[in-house]
Amino acid sequence: MEEQVVLISEKDEVLGLMDKMQAHENGILHRAFSVFLFNDKGEILLQKRAAEKYHSPNQWTNAVCSHPRVDETYMEGAQRRLKEELGIEAELTPKFHFIYKADVGGNLWEHELDHVFTGHYNGDFTLNSYEVSEIRFITMEALDEEMKSNPEHFTEWFKIILGEYKDRL
């Protein structure tokens, strides 16, 4: 069975469930979360999405972005995906949430109420190769330069969320 997302109103009131692909094809508002991880040097962790991903393959993005299940809080979903994608546990702090809509190509849309979390991590990773092809830490300054010179290397939602992160923190 296809993974489902939680459809919501702009006030985060649950309206129902829908297959993830159908929600992305129709640009319907749903719950999501994004995790920004930093190391002790203050560098941000980037993950490169696996080549097999149905949208935005081989693009760099933040540590984890996904959707909470119907029976999960945003925090529980974020913790679950850290384990599933990166093989780690990290203490997370909620920072802010906002609604955005982004064309991710292939007639697919991300239209999400996104809860953004931050955390610190310096240990080893066990990558899930179905989700992540590689990871790296980078300074914000180097990331800004790379995003300016090669914006096509990054997911559309990461560009939006990073901008919100910088504006709000």
Side-chain angles (χ1 to χ4, degrees):
M1 184 172 115
E2 172 69 27
E3 184 177 340
Q4 294 191 312
V5 294
V6 179
L7 305 181
I8 53 166
S9 71
E10 290 189 0
K11 294 181 180 178
D12 202 14
E13 300 159 323
V14 175
L15 302 176
L17 298 175
M18 182 177 280
D19 286 347
K20 181 170 66 171
M21 182 62 91
Q22 186 180 358
H24 288 161
E25 288 171 344
N26 293 293
I28 298 173
L29 183 62
H30 57 277
R31 286 180 173 168
F33 54 80
S34 297
V35 177
F36 285 67
L37 284 182
F38 298 89
N39 64 15
D40 284 345
K41 297 178 190 174
E43 298 167 322
I44 187 171
L45 178 76
L46 300 182
Q47 71 146 278
K48 189 173 191 180
R49 290 171 56 84
E52 298 78 24
K53 298 296 280 185
Y54 72 93
H55 74 77
S56 310
N58 295 314
Q59 288 186 313
W60 290 99
T61 196
N62 52 294
V64 171
C65 356
S66 192
H67 311 95
R69 294 179 176 150
V70 68
D71 59 345
E72 287 181 321
T73 65
Y74 289 94
M75 176 69 80
E76 289 167 344
Q79 293 285 2
R80 173 178 53 81
R81 291 306 285 173
L82 280 176
K83 290 178 192 171
E84 291 174 355
E85 293 187 25
L86 304 175
I88 67 168
E89 293 182 16
E91 186 174 322
L92 299 178
T93 303
K95 291 298 183 179
F96 61 90
H97 61 274
F98 73 110
I99 293 174
Y100 75 95
K101 189 171 188 177
D103 181 346
V104 296
N107 295 316
L108 299 174
W109 293 85
E110 289 286 9
H111 188 193
E112 300 180 331
L113 171 60
D114 191 27
H115 281 245
V116 179
F117 299 89
T118 61
H120 288 82
Y121 188 78
N122 292 290
D124 295 325
F125 295 88
T126 304
L127 303 183
N128 177 340
S129 61
Y130 293 105
E131 299 287 340
V132 182
S133 63
E134 61 183 289
I135 57 170
R136 63 185 165 124
F137 281 99
I138 186 171
T139 66
M140 280 292 202
E141 295 78 16
L143 176 58
D144 287 342
E145 286 302 315
E146 194 173 326
M147 288 181 100
K148 283 179 195 166
S149 60
N150 296 297
E152 71 280 4
H153 292 179
F154 298 89
T155 63
E156 289 303 314
W157 65 86
F158 179 51
K159 296 172 198 174
I160 294 167
I161 297 163
L162 185 62
E164 288 288 325
Y165 176 84
K166 289 178 179 180
D167 286 349
R168 294 172 186 249
L169 300 176

